[in-house]
Amino acid sequence: MDLMVEASPRRIFANAHTYHINSISVNSDHETYLSADDLRINLWHLEITDRSFNIVDIKPANMEELTEVITAAEFHPHQCNVFVYSSSKGTIRLCDMRSSALCDRHAKFFEEPEDPSSRSFFSEIISSISDVKFSHSGRYMMTRDYLSVKVWDLNMEGRPVETHQVHEYLRSKLCSLYENDCIFDKFECCWNGSDSAIMTGSYNNFFRMFDRNTRRDVTLEASRENSKPRASLKPRKVCTGGKRKKDEISVDSLDFNKKILHTAWHPMESIIAVAATNNLYIFQDKIN
């Protein structure tokens, strides 16, 4: 018989969320973890399933006054009292659980001032943060919005230290992406083991990797047609207008139903996992 792998729940932590849970993060103390939904973040003990502490609550008394929601949350990798959460308004709040039990007042507030010249109808939607991840070192954090990935130094709240454009060629297509709801897609991002590179997904089964030291970036494609085992991936280029070169793909022929929202990087080795709809691809660095 074929080997069947089945997951069975060991513990179920119930009745603490009214809205969809968007994040779970285990604390570095290995005793507690947080879970976040649109309006609340709860702190759990791993051994206690029927009780949690509410540590952030942004629900207004009158729901008509609701202007933003929590989009992602994560504990600091080394400091067990520190966590961050991001919002649909493009801001990140860092909270310290030592200062008070209810972390409604943040310790740090990260926000990049908006350039008034680039303001449009879609500005608020595309500035919403879909993912936030601390670097392994704990000094930086990375945020993903619709068009870019930003790296922040925890000691500098005013602006990010790096901004990497993921698919800037889609800026002219925001109208149609709004109509087909793609503009609300939530892309994740991840660090490699040494924090020297970052990865995130895009459309047409493309995913992007950015080398923070050399400032080089690459677009790769995860698809069955061109991924025979042991074959190396060829960099992809998107043509935005004018004459298309032989290897380039036109921005108008991108498939927006094929999207890579989830990616993961091995903590020690050059191995990545990429989820493309219902296919999981695992790639490793070429061994010379």
Side-chain angles (χ1 to χ4, degrees):
M1 281 179 69
D2 286 343
L3 176 68
M4 294 286 285
V5 178
E6 195 175 276
S8 55
R10 297 292 181 86
R11 297 191 188 102
I12 295 176
F13 299 81
N15 305 329
H17 287 281
T18 318
Y19 307 96
H20 290 298
I21 296 169
N22 58 43
S23 302
I24 290 176
S25 175
V26 178
N27 196 337
S28 59
D29 65 10
H30 296 300
E31 283 190 355
T32 55
Y33 74 93
L34 64 76
S35 59
D37 67 24
D38 285 354
L39 299 179
R40 294 194 178 103
I41 301 176
N42 294 325
L43 181 70
W44 301 83
H45 193 284
L46 286 163
E47 302 297 327
I48 302 168
T49 59
D50 59 349
R51 205 166 62 244
S52 66
F53 291 100
N54 179 233
I55 50 175
V56 172
D57 186 348
I58 64 164
K59 185 178 181 182
N62 177 5
M63 281 296 273
E64 286 174 8
E65 292 166 10
L66 183 70
T67 58
E68 64 180 328
V69 293
I70 297 166
T71 54
E74 192 183 46
F75 267 122
H76 190 280
H78 313 303
Q79 297 167 9
C80 62
N81 52 294
V82 171
F83 68 93
V84 292
Y85 68 93
S86 58
S87 92
S88 55
K89 278 195 163 174
T91 62
I92 310 103
R93 290 172 176 85
L94 182 138
C95 302
D96 186 342
M97 293 193 292
R98 288 181 305 194
S99 56
S100 71
L102 190 64
C103 300
D104 283 356
R105 285 203 294 277
H106 48 266
K108 290 189 176 183
F109 183 75
F110 299 84
E111 181 178 29
E112 185 170 30
E114 190 187 33
D115 176 9
S117 65
S118 65
R119 178 144 186 84
S120 74
F121 171 74
F122 304 109
S123 293
E124 199 164 300
I125 303 172
I126 62 172
S127 69
S128 175
I129 291 170
S130 53
D131 198 15
V132 58
K133 291 270 170 54
F134 279 109
S135 63
H136 298 288
S137 67
R139 181 174 169 188
Y140 300 99
M141 66 178 172
M142 160 170 57
T143 59
R144 172 75 155 95
D145 56 44
Y146 190 62
L147 294 177
S148 65
V149 171
K150 292 171 182 167
V151 176
W152 303 76
D153 187 322
L154 294 191
N155 301 319
M156 200 168 102
E157 298 166 58
R159 59 186 174 86
V161 288
E162 296 167 27
T163 300
H164 303 279
Q165 301 302 335
V166 177
H167 38 216
E168 185 61 22
Y169 48 80
L170 295 183
R171 197 176 283 277
S172 60
K173 298 264 175 279
L174 291 177
C175 209
S176 51
L177 290 163
Y178 178 74
E179 285 166 5
N180 64 15
D181 276 353
C182 284
I183 201 167
F184 302 106
D185 285 335
K186 296 192 176 339
F187 291 95
E188 293 173 4
C189 51
C190 63
W191 299 85
N192 71 342
S194 61
D195 297 334
S196 64
I198 53 185
M199 171 170 62
T200 190
S202 180
Y203 293 104
N204 207 66
N205 280 358
F206 288 171
F207 60 98
R208 303 271 283 132
M209 298 169 103
F210 303 93
D211 187 312
R212 298 180 58 217
N213 300 327
T214 63
R215 296 290 168 150
R216 282 163 58 191
D217 63 273
V218 67
T219 303
L220 300 169
E221 183 181 359
S223 73
R224 279 180 152 165
E225 292 79 59
N226 61 13
S227 65
K228 297 179 180 69
R230 305 274 175 266
S232 59
L233 295 176
K234 292 184 182 65
R236 297 296 197 179
K237 280 213 163 42
V238 175
C239 158
T240 51
K243 212 161 172 228
R244 188 167 67 89
K245 295 189 185 130
K246 187 167 76 90
D247 304 338
E248 292 182 336
I249 178 164
S250 160
V251 69
D252 296 315
S253 58
L254 295 173
D255 188 340
F256 293 109
N257 292 316
K258 292 179 176 172
K259 54 192 95 169
I260 292 178
L261 303 178
H262 313 290
T263 59
W265 208 311
H266 191 285
M268 273 86 75
E269 298 178 46
S270 288
I271 298 175
I272 58 168
V274 174
T277 322
N278 57 345
N279 296 307
L280 176 67
Y281 295 90
I282 295 179
F283 301 110
Q284 69 174 31
D285 215 358
K286 263 199 312 218
I287 298 156
N288 296 326

